[in-house]
Amino acid sequence: MRSSPVIVYLSMARIPGRSAHTIQICRTCDALTSLGARVYLIVPSLSLNLPRRSDLEAILSYYGLRCGFHLIRLRMSKIFIKLSEMGGLPSIFVNFLLIVQFLLLTLALKIAFWGRRFFLYLRGRFIFSSIAMLAPWLLRDVVFEVHNVRRLMLHGWAGKVKFSAMRRCRVIITIASYLKRILQKLLGVGVNIEVVHDAANASLFEKIGLNVDELRRRLRLGDFKVVMYVGSLYSWKKPEFIVDAFKLLRRNDVVLVFIGGLDEDISRVKSYCEAIGVDRVIFTGFIKPRNVPIYLKLADILVHYTPRGRGFSPLKIFEYMCARKPIVAPNSPGVNEVLRDGVNALLYNPESPEDMAYKIKLILDDSELGFKLAEQAYLDAINKYTFKARAERILKVLNVYGG
């Protein structure tokens, strides 16, 4: 009988954190653990404010997780934390020390589990490049998860080294078939590449403690219909596109709600709303991941936008599907592998806020259409896009390429 795999996940992410990729990392580790894998998540502790006790319990609560994977923090002294915040050469020096610790701990775990199926799971370019340069013999254990090919497009010597290292990985996992096709062209034949889409934690939607009506009162939504976006509001994501579409609705019975965003980004988008004369826009700021489902239940329509070529399988669309609410999203690569126009969502031209507004209006005016789309999206989510299903798919890939 084949033994359960040992998976060492290395990440430079600050966990717990506000970014979607920290949610994806922790929920993937949690799901893999629930299926019997022995998972070690190793992350730096580049903060002076993190608790030293009950780290894992706090993270499980923060992300709404159930299982206890092994969390290892690479703690550093205050002077090194200060150096990491300075940027430039001091930060590079600290990162080098972290990579050395990553490698030493990985080798220790590999020796400790000698004879077991051992995988080194990565999704960060910096750690991958460091291993390729400092410990290339570990590449045969590497499972490299790729989310965006643009960031891998290096020219000259650096690009050749990175692509050569990728060809030597045990397997590359992409989150969209579109990305797989691009990588196949870049890397050539004979490279192991598999597709494993992102997912949502459906169990978080099963028990929602806060009363939705109470939350509506707290946000002063009244009888307005709610168009909602969940996620960061970085300038490169251009959330102003959604504001433009909202303005084009020209309806007084609808409110736009943004869930998430840093203070400076919220201030920027608020200023844009004022500049173009858009009101009835509400900003909640950051919401802990485990509480996001409560807010999703407030929505009448959930919307997504990312500029073309920047988001191929955003985590939010899978949570939208679990929320059982109609979705309006761009007809862009990756997204349209999961969301199908007229089947489980309405897709719009990502260059046209007018088309986005039109698709929102279709659902506002046709509740039966919205219900049909939402129900199909929900069925697709619970049958294909849970983190348990994602972990099962990853383990099948590891079984194929794990020897």
Side-chain angles (χ1 to χ4, degrees), residues 164-175:
S164 175
M166 291 177 71
R167 292 185 186 100
R168 296 163 61 188
C169 289
R170 179 74 64 91
V171 62
I172 296 171
I173 288 176
T174 70
I175 57 168

Side-chain angles (χ1 to χ4, degrees), residues 252-320:
N252 296 320
D253 61 337
V254 184
V255 64
L256 175 62
V257 178
F258 284 104
I259 307 294
L262 301 174
D263 290 343
E264 57 266 32
D265 294 317
I266 291 174
S267 177
R268 187 193 76 252
V269 180
K270 278 185 176 180
S271 296
Y272 183 77
C273 292
E274 293 172 2
I276 67 171
V278 173
D279 54 10
R280 300 191 316 280
V281 181
I282 295 173
F283 299 84
T284 68
F286 175 72
I287 301 296
K288 289 183 178 180
R290 72 167 185 268
N291 294 331
V292 168
I294 304 169
Y295 287 80
L296 292 177
K297 287 295 185 181
L298 291 175
D300 292 284
I301 300 175
L302 293 166
V303 298
H304 167 60
Y305 174 73
T306 302
R308 189 184 294 275
R310 299 301 295 263
F312 297 102
S313 186
L315 210 59
K316 69 170 65 64
I317 66 172
F318 300 94
E319 293 196 337
Y320 285 4

Side-chain angles (χ1 to χ4, degrees), residues 3 31 33 49 65 79 83 90-91 104 106 110 123 126 167 172 184 221 231 243 296 313 340 362 367:
S3 61
T33 301
N49 302 315
L65 306 178
I79 186 170
L83 286 173
S91 179
L104 291 175
T106 298
K110 187 173 175 65
R123 64 163 283 184
F126 177 72
R167 292 185 186 100
I172 296 171
Q184 286 174 327
L221 295 177
V243 177
L296 292 177
S313 186
R340 294 161 292 157
L362 284 179
S367 58

Side-chain angles (χ1 to χ4, degrees), residues 195-211:
V195 178
V196 181
H197 286 286
D198 261 328
N201 192 343
S203 64
L204 292 179
F205 292 81
E206 296 170 1
K207 296 180 180 179
I208 295 181
L210 186 63
N211 184 283

Side-chain angles (χ1 to χ4, degrees), residues 50-63:
L50 289 171
R52 288 189 174 268
R53 293 185 179 179
S54 301
D55 262 3
L56 183 58
E57 288 80 0
I59 288 171
L60 292 177
S61 173
Y62 182 84
Y63 290 111

